[in-house]
Amino acid sequence: LDAVRKLDLEARIGIEAGEVVTEDADSTFATGEPVNVAARLQQAAKPNQILIGPGAQRLALGRLELEDVGPVDFRGGAEPVWTWAVTGIATGHARAARFAAPFVGREAELELLENSFARAVRDRRAHLFTIYGDPGIGKTRLAEEFLDMLDGVTVLRGRSLPYGESITYWSLAEMVKVAAGIADDDPLDEALEKLRQCCPAEAVADLLALATGVLEAVQGEASQQEIAWAARAWAEKLAEPQPLVLLFEDIHWAEEPLLELIEHLAAWVKDAPLLILTLARPELLDVRPDWGGGRVRATAIEVEPLAPSESEQLVDALLETSADASLEAEARRALLEKTEGNPLFVEETIRMFIEEGGDGAARRIPDTLQALIAARIDRLEPEAKRIVQRASVVGRVFWAGAVEHLSGDVDAVGAVLEELELRDFIAREPRSTISDEEAYRFKHVLIREVAYGGLAKSARAGLHERFADWLRERAGEELLEIRAYHLDQAVTLLAELDGAAPAPLVRDAAAALAKAGKRALAREANRSARRLLQRSVELQPTLERRYEAARAAWRLSDIPTVSVEMEAVCEAAREAGDAALEARALTAVAEVVLYRDGDVERGRQLGERALSLLHDEDDEARYDALETLSMIGWWTGDLAAVERYTQEMIDVAERTGRKDLVSQALIGLVGVHDSRLEQDRIEPLLNRAVELAEESGSIMARAWACRAQGDLALRLHDLEGAQTAFESARELFTEAGAAAPLAKTLQQLASVAARRAETARAEKLLRESVRTLRQLERRGALVESLRQLAELLVADGKLDEAERFAIEARETVTPHDISSLATTSTALALVREAQGRDEEAERLFREALAILGEIAWPSLERKPLRALARFLRSRGREDEARAYEERLEQLELLAAGAA
């Protein structure tokens, strides 16, 4: 463009990147979507304008200055393409021109980083690299030096915020928004559309929208596993055109779901060049001592203090930035001794020395880095000091507009910020998350912490409240969690000073905290949700907030708390006449009664009362109540009730458009028909469930569908098909971290192995299933694994072990679990038969059939019928055996006729 302008001509340029087809010859022929898009962009461009499409934008992240043009419509009915105008080359992080600290030492660490990246690119596998170090030791500088060496690589950065200010997936949100070109003040529908354009599927975009806060546009909830799956799909797409580096800073402040997500990416990105670079203080290991452990593609290093010679080298280089500066030998020795190889301490000391005149005799060096930073801040002009302190209220990253809003008593804020940048207190951010707002970052988090510590509590309170107002005006609900934090800080500080905060402020803080808590629940950040919701209840309790806080406790499996709080909510809702809220609380209490107490009858009464209180439009609560009642039906063997409730669950899920829930409910209906031997009704339902699971994009729905396909194949004696389906389910459940359904899948794989006479493999799978379910304390599933293992060991002649597991299964089953009462009786009967204890064996066989005779569950009858008939015939009691054989023939004919 520059060259064309010199000729007094105009040009329009369109650029897009992606896969194209070319002839294998010296030809300019090329075809493909990027060529077509580039041509259309060129036509849409204004004179002397460069327009680029999403493929080129992903390749150029952080390298170009871009103006968001939005979706551009093309002639001929082509789909609109999100477009950016190139306005210049990005300059990167601004550094103070007169005082740039050189990179000293760290050669070995840099080489290890290079090797790890090369390995990730070579093997096209994710590699996790963690850099540990104390504040100021140079973690970030090492990472930046490494990243500056890379070429042809997409680099995305995100940081975790300090405890109490944290949004669970904040660092992921920063990366996603940069990749999609989303600003925090973008309209929500526009932000969602941008996100969908940079994701491989709409389901992935919707899950990331939930995780990153675009919740007004996408309603619903998602599990940690689904969010992790979506992040993996997003990262793999970004890594297609060129290697990808994700830099997670300050993960010692990260919440558990984010740490799990990072480890998920490291384990499951298998065909993409990805380096996950994490920076942490050593205290991360206090909460996650196994971080990165046990992974063959994980590396961790600790950044040590500089060696004395390296500190000397750094001192010399810094002094060279000032022509008049010199340092006497005594002062140099004191500096090196005090700073102990901490590069930031060295830099700040030299800065202080130069600011004092640099005449060779340094005054007393403060004992700590924090004291040194405080001394430098104190020497600032009053206006500059006020600006630094007001910026510190915002956070490590802040906006010029916010500081102006907080600094009405300071003129020319922009000029003061430039001075602070020149003196290396702050640096300009290459990208602002709020449109038309210049963003800055404190050079080090310690500078922000020290500046904030210099403010009086009364000043902090007022500034937190004013910043929350500015944030609401500029970013709406997009940064709600940050606004809630600042409002809560204002309330807390005023309560400490005056005993109580003003009622309007308390009301605003409680409302923001409650909404932030509900958003945290939606992305399964349950600990954050509980903390936020409890605080909202403390400030201004409402029935809805009390219910949501108790729901967060339920998500955390804090059963005693749930029992107390939900019972209280039930009573209060009943007194207030709030039937919908009472119903939701009753469902939660019903689940507690079932799983903790095993009281099926009371659980049924509570569930039915909840259902009776709900209106048809309250779909989410209705689905939960129906699911609880359906589970009770399975426990008691009431298949008619299970069918009735499951069919209504399908209707509710279809009404709300939740394809994943429809799929899972359909699989429940498949189970009902299978239990009745109605084989002809299974396949159509299962095919529909599989189709909906794929359309939903839910990893859990796909896993359940695969497992159901395996069940059908096993019933049809298709062992190869069953093996393939169960292995797919196993991989999906493993990826999702869903331990309980994974353990059940291992049971089913063991059934396939046993039918193939692979006894050793079947036994290994079952023992793994038992071990997992014991740890999870999942009694219902554990019973069946123990029972199946006992039966396998009987067939293998290991009677002592078989007896032990069969007895444990009998002792573990609850009195209301009808199906397992029957199956465990059969398993122990087989053990007693093999031991020659015929009388006991016969009694147990008949006991199992008597239990099943009380319910209509034909599929479970076949095994004890077959075993008892064989037992009687082998003992010469053919007439008695014949009656059971005739019943077995009826059931087989029933199954065959249905099929």
Side-chain angles (χ1 to χ4, degrees):
L1 278 183
D2 288 342
V4 167
R5 287 193 189 99
K6 291 175 182 177
L7 299 174
D8 292 328
L9 298 175
E10 293 180 334
R12 296 178 297 183
I13 296 174
I15 302 173
E16 178 57 324
E19 222 172 56
V20 299
V21 178
T22 65
E23 290 181 343
D24 190 14
D26 294 334
S27 168
T28 58
F29 168 80
T31 186
E33 186 65 17
V35 178
N36 298 333
V37 171
R40 293 185 179 116
L41 290 172
Q42 182 268 324
Q43 294 166 6
K46 299 173 184 176
N48 291 328
Q49 185 182 44
I50 303 172
L51 294 183
I52 66 172
Q57 186 263 353
R58 281 195 294 273
L59 286 169
L61 283 175
R63 304 300 181 93
L64 300 177
E65 291 179 355
L66 301 175
E67 178 185 325
D68 191 347
V69 176
V72 171
D73 293 309
F74 299 124
R75 293 191 298 272
E79 286 290 321
V81 171
W82 210 283
T83 305
W84 291 262
V86 182
T87 59
I89 304 298
T91 57
H93 291 278
R95 291 186 180 275
R98 74 179 188 88
F99 196 90
F103 184 68
V104 174
R106 317 298 191 206
E107 290 84 2
E109 292 88 343
L110 206 54
E111 184 178 356
L112 191 55
L113 271 165
E114 293 178 64
N115 291 338
S116 297
F117 176 71
R119 182 181 170 196
V121 173
R122 181 197 66 202
D123 299 339
R124 294 187 62 80
R125 295 291 296 269
H127 194 106
L128 174 63
F129 197 110
T130 303
I131 302 176
Y132 293 102
D134 293 323
I137 206 68
K139 301 184 296 294
T140 302
R141 183 63 186 276
L142 172 62
E144 292 295 344
E145 288 294 325
F146 162 69
L147 295 176
D148 286 346
M149 298 167 58
L150 303 181
D151 193 23
V153 176
T154 300
V155 178
L156 296 173
R157 297 170 170 84
R159 71 197 189 285
S160 296
L161 302 179
Y163 177 80
E165 192 178 350
S166 180
I167 302 173
T168 303
Y169 297 106
W170 177 263
S171 52
L172 175 67
E174 288 189 301
M175 297 175 183
V176 168
K177 289 174 181 178
V178 168
I182 295 172
D184 287 331
D185 57 337
D186 278 347
L188 290 167
D189 55 347
E190 184 177 310
L192 184 59
E193 182 58 32
K194 289 180 180 180
L195 187 54
R196 285 176 173 163
Q197 292 219 7
C198 86
C199 288
E202 185 172 310
V204 173
D206 289 352
L207 286 166
L208 288 178
L210 281 164
T212 57
V214 189
L215 287 168
E216 304 301 324
V218 181
Q219 294 295 334
E221 296 190 356
S223 68
Q224 292 179 27
Q225 294 84 9
E226 289 173 317
I227 290 170
W229 167 78
R232 190 198 79 184
W234 165 79
E236 287 175 341
K237 179 175 175 62
L238 278 181
E240 281 177 3
Q242 61 185 13
L244 174 65
V245 177
L246 300 179
L247 172 60
F248 291 89
E249 297 184 64
D250 297 329
I251 64 166
H252 48 274
W253 284 324
E255 295 183 48
E256 189 67 20
L258 179 65
L259 296 177
E260 294 285 352
L261 182 144
I262 293 171
E263 290 195 320
H264 177 94
L265 292 176
W268 289 96
V269 173
K270 295 180 178 178
D271 188 28
L274 169 65
L275 179 67
I276 304 168
L277 186 54
T278 60
L279 310 184
R281 296 179 187 175
E283 50 257 41
L284 172 66
L285 296 174
D286 294 337
V287 293
R288 286 295 294 266
D290 60 343
W291 176 253
R295 301 185 185 280
V296 294
R297 288 176 299 280
T299 305
I301 59 172
E302 182 179 10
V303 180
E304 302 279 358
L306 294 174
S309 60
E310 293 169 337
S311 293
E312 290 251 24
Q313 184 182 343
L314 180 59
V315 168
D316 291 338
L318 291 169
L319 289 172
E320 288 176 4
T321 62
S322 176
D324 301 326
S326 63
L327 196 61
E328 295 177 354
E330 185 63 31
R332 180 186 289 265
R333 273 196 304 274
L335 183 153
L336 294 173
E337 180 181 334
K338 188 78 72 173
T339 56
E340 296 182 329
N342 184 301
L344 181 62
F345 205 166
V346 173
E347 290 178 40
E348 292 298 311
T349 304
I350 295 295
R351 284 191 181 91
M352 180 187 71
F353 170 65
I354 291 175
E355 288 169 359
E356 290 177 343
D359 57 2
R363 298 182 180 88
R364 190 184 74 83
I365 300 171
D367 292 329
T368 66
L369 177 55
Q370 286 85 346
L372 177 61
I373 293 170
R376 286 195 65 222
I377 292 174
D378 283 342
R379 280 195 300 275
L380 290 171
E381 293 295 322
E383 285 195 347
K385 183 176 179 180
R386 283 199 294 274
I387 292 295
V388 165
Q389 290 177 328
R390 281 155 177 72
S392 74
V393 172
V394 177
R396 173 89 187 268
V397 174
F398 58 92
W399 297 272
V403 176
E404 289 176 2
H405 182 76
L406 300 180
S407 306
D409 57 339
V410 177
D411 296 326
V413 169
V416 176
L417 289 174
E418 286 182 8
E419 178 193 346
L420 292 170
E421 185 180 4
L422 186 65
R423 299 182 68 168
D424 227 16
F425 281 95
I426 63 175
R428 203 177 300 261
E429 283 281 271
R431 175 185 179 273
S432 173
T433 59
I434 297 181
S435 302
D436 303 321
E437 285 288 351
E438 193 76 54
Y440 294 85
R441 170 191 292 254
F442 280 98
K443 181 181 177 295
H444 195 277
V445 69
L446 288 179
I447 298 176
R448 184 260 167 184
E449 291 174 1
V450 172
Y452 183 78
L455 282 167
K457 283 186 178 181
S458 56
R460 291 183 200 174
L463 292 168
H464 279 297
E465 183 178 4
R466 289 169 62 190
F467 175 64
D469 291 340
W470 181 87
L471 205 56
R472 174 166 29 201
E473 181 183 331
R474 290 296 284 111
E477 295 299 286
E478 181 66 15
L479 298 179
L480 169 71
E481 291 85 351
I482 302 296
R483 182 162 59 83
Y485 164 75
H486 285 277
L487 288 170
D488 188 30
Q489 287 295 100
V491 168
T492 301
L493 289 164
L494 289 173
E496 291 174 1
L497 289 168
D498 304 328
L505 176 60
V506 172
R507 183 184 62 246
D508 289 349
L513 288 162
K515 191 168 185 179
K518 291 181 70 173
R519 283 167 62 147
L521 271 180
R523 50 184 175 256
E524 231 182 49
N526 300 321
R527 293 194 184 282
S528 287
R530 175 69 178 168
R531 185 175 68 246
L532 291 164
L533 289 163
Q534 274 187 298
R535 179 60 176 156
S536 74
V537 169
E538 289 173 11
L539 293 180
Q540 193 175 57
T542 66
L543 263 178
E544 179 71 24
R545 289 169 192 168
R546 288 169 60 191
Y547 166 75
E548 293 294 346
R551 189 160 76 100
W554 173 242
R555 291 274 193 87
L556 293 167
S557 300
D558 185 355
I559 303 302
T561 298
V562 174
S563 180
V564 171
E565 293 188 8
M566 281 298 186
E567 290 275 13
V569 169
C570 281
E571 184 177 344
R574 194 176 305 118
E575 292 174 358
D578 191 335
L581 190 59
E582 182 187 355
R584 295 205 296 271
L586 282 168
T587 301
V589 175
E591 292 189 17
V592 171
V593 166
L594 276 177
Y595 292 109
R596 184 188 66 182
D597 306 330
D599 190 340
V600 172
E601 189 52 40
R602 183 160 182 254
R604 191 206 318 270
Q605 292 171 0
L606 292 168
E608 288 175 348
R609 173 161 172 73
L611 204 57
S612 69
L613 290 170
L614 288 166
H615 298 294
D616 289 341
E617 62 271 15
D618 198 346
D619 288 322
E620 181 183 341
R622 193 168 193 83
Y623 188 95
D624 291 342
L626 289 165
E627 190 172 33
T628 299
L629 289 167
S630 174
M631 178 58 66
I632 292 171
W634 281 113
W635 280 32
T636 58
D638 188 351
L639 296 181
V642 175
E643 181 177 21
R644 185 171 68 254
Y645 292 131
T646 304
Q647 186 59 61
E648 193 171 346
M649 287 164 63
I650 292 170
D651 295 340
V652 171
E654 285 179 337
R655 192 160 60 240
T656 57
R658 288 290 302 274
K659 293 181 179 180
D660 57 332
L661 295 183
V662 176
S663 174
Q664 291 180 49
L666 283 169
I667 290 169
L669 203 53
V670 165
V672 172
H673 294 310
D674 179 46
S675 299
R676 291 173 173 163
L677 300 178
E678 297 168 346
Q679 305 299 323
D680 57 327
R681 304 185 67 176
I682 290 176
E683 196 162 354
L685 290 172
L686 182 55
N687 290 340
R688 178 63 178 151
V690 171
E691 180 184 337
L692 288 170
E694 290 297 330
E695 290 176 4
S696 74
S698 165
I699 187 172
M700 291 296 289
R702 288 162 51 213
W704 291 116
C706 285
R707 204 169 81 181
Q709 286 177 305
D711 283 334
L712 177 60
L714 195 58
R715 283 191 294 273
L716 298 175
H717 308 290
D718 177 9
L719 297 184
E720 192 64 38
Q723 176 79 22
T724 300
F726 287 144
E727 286 291 358
S728 296
R730 180 184 190 176
E731 182 174 351
L732 289 167
F733 282 132
T734 301
E735 180 181 353
L742 172 61
K744 174 64 176 175
T745 306
L746 297 178
Q747 291 178 26
Q748 292 159 310
L749 282 166
S751 297
V752 176
R755 291 200 191 185
R756 288 176 161 172
E758 298 170 353
T759 305
R761 181 169 184 270
E763 183 179 338
K764 181 180 178 182
L765 289 164
L766 285 169
R767 288 184 186 276
E768 185 179 344
S769 176
V770 167
R771 184 168 56 251
T772 300
L773 292 169
R774 276 180 178 152
Q775 292 171 346
L776 295 173
E777 298 182 357
R778 298 294 289 265
R779 291 177 64 182
L782 174 59
V783 165
E784 290 303 315
S785 283
L786 290 167
R787 184 268 309 167
Q788 190 173 337
L789 180 55
E791 292 174 356
L792 183 74
L793 292 169
V794 167
D796 201 28
K798 300 175 181 177
L799 297 186
D800 289 344
E801 271 198 297
E803 179 183 38
R804 190 174 80 247
F805 285 118
I807 290 173
E808 184 182 348
R810 292 273 288 175
E811 293 172 346
T812 304
V813 68
T814 66
H816 303 286
D817 190 347
I818 301 298
S819 61
S820 290
L821 284 172
T823 59
T824 54
S825 293
T826 303
L828 187 56
L830 292 169
V831 173
R832 296 304 184 222
E833 179 188 4
Q835 292 172 331
R837 297 162 65 171
D838 286 8
E839 184 177 339
E840 193 176 348
E842 183 175 346
R843 179 179 60 77
L844 287 163
F845 282 135
R846 293 184 185 280
E847 181 183 306
L849 288 171
I851 292 169
L852 293 171
E854 297 176 4
I855 58 175
W857 201 324
S859 66
L860 286 182
E861 279 188 71
R862 290 187 293 183
K863 188 170 187 173
L865 280 170
R866 190 178 296 114
L868 181 54
R870 176 190 47 73
F871 173 84
L872 293 170
R873 188 167 288 281
S874 68
R875 269 62 175 176
R877 298 158 65 181
E878 287 84 357
D879 291 343
E880 291 179 74
R882 193 169 297 115
Y884 296 106
E885 290 168 346
E886 288 173 0
R887 172 58 179 161
L888 186 60
E889 287 173 6
Q890 291 174 1
L891 293 177
E892 298 295 351
L893 286 171
L894 175 64

